Amino acid sequence: MATLREAQKEMTRKLLLDAGLDLFVSKGYAATTVDDIASAAGTTRVTFYAYFPSKVDLMKALVSERLNAALDRVPSAEHGSTERELVAVVEDGSPERIHAWLASASERWDVIRPYTTAAFEAAAVDPEIRALVDEWLNEAIGDIKDGLDRADRFPAGTRHFRSVIAITELDYVARHWTPGTWGVGQDEMLDVLTESWVGSIGRLR
């Protein structure tokens, strides 16, 4: 019985997260209410609050649990979360390794875009979510800096800024690019993005 109850609780939580994400994308974070989410999940406002203290907390769960999982980010004592492969790729710094990582990352953009779209919209109206998004971006920036530090590449004082440039660029492209956007297809987009990353954080031959 205990196992069944736990499974039911997990399912209810999943339904609330699914409903929240769908509504944040379709209706907008600011316009979506707790009642909207509860109704879409087939439950009640009281049940919602049994799982999440607020709409903000549901948005936080979408980022910390689902988005990080989709990006292969794992808990890290240094940064909150880390993607070890990204650190290794930056440490290597070769155009081939960077291109391969970017190509693999681009395959997940359609999956992660609803989460990042909702998170950035929420950040525009909610200081708590804005702080969460800033922290999340800083964790990715930290991964790149770690890779540069391990490689001892570029002057130490420029490594953080280089990391900011690389992640800001990647984040914008990942959230907005679809085939044909800005006049480039998949291969061209990856080639140009790789060229830019190699120039800012990579190992030039």
Side-chain angles (χ1 to χ4, degrees):
M1 289 298 294
T3 302
L4 178 59
R5 282 196 297 271
E6 287 302 315
Q8 290 173 333
K9 287 175 64 176
E10 186 60 32
M11 178 55 69
T12 299
R13 191 174 189 275
K14 179 183 182 300
L15 289 171
L16 288 167
L17 287 167
D18 289 345
L21 178 63
D22 289 345
L23 286 166
F24 293 159
V25 172
S26 63
K27 188 175 180 179
Y29 176 84
T32 298
T33 66
V34 167
D35 286 333
D36 291 334
I37 298 170
S39 177
T43 187
T44 66
R45 180 186 184 90
V46 171
T47 299
F48 177 96
Y49 285 120
Y51 290 84
F52 301 101
S54 68
K55 182 174 71 170
V56 171
D57 291 282
L58 186 144
M59 184 72 249
K60 288 179 178 179
L62 287 172
V63 173
S64 64
E65 297 172 23
R66 292 191 173 185
L67 182 55
N68 276 348
L71 293 171
D72 295 327
R73 301 195 64 80
V74 297
S76 162
E78 293 83 8
H79 303 304
S81 73
T82 186
E83 184 183 351
R84 296 190 181 100
E85 178 62 15
L86 175 57
V87 178
V89 165
V90 175
E91 182 179 7
D92 177 272
S94 67
E96 294 80 11
R97 190 87 179 267
I98 289 173
H99 187 281
W101 185 87
L102 289 171
S104 177
S106 72
E107 294 175 359
R108 296 176 287 188
W109 289 352
D110 286 343
V111 173
I112 69 171
R113 191 170 289 132
Y115 296 95
T116 54
T117 297
F120 275 82
E121 181 181 331
V125 297
D126 192 303
E128 283 190 69
I129 301 300
R130 183 162 59 250
L132 175 68
V133 170
D134 288 345
E135 178 183 358
W136 180 72
L137 288 171
N138 283 331
E139 290 169 3
I141 289 166
D143 284 343
I144 291 186
K145 185 176 182 299
D146 281 352
L148 292 177
D149 288 343
R150 291 183 186 186
D152 195 24
R153 190 163 59 247
F154 300 113
T158 72
R159 291 171 191 164
H160 180 77
F161 181 52
R162 289 175 178 275
S163 304
V164 170
I165 291 172
I167 287 300
T168 301
E169 181 178 52
L170 176 63
D171 168 69
Y172 189 87
V173 174
R175 284 190 291 122
H176 297 284
W177 184 85
T178 55
T181 300
W182 308 314
V184 293
Q186 175 95 0
D187 292 342
E188 293 169 306
M189 177 273 294
L190 287 171
D191 287 346
V192 174
L193 190 55
T194 298
E195 181 182 338
S196 181
W197 266 41
V198 171
S200 60
I201 63 171
R203 172 163 51 84
L204 301 174
R205 289 192 176 90

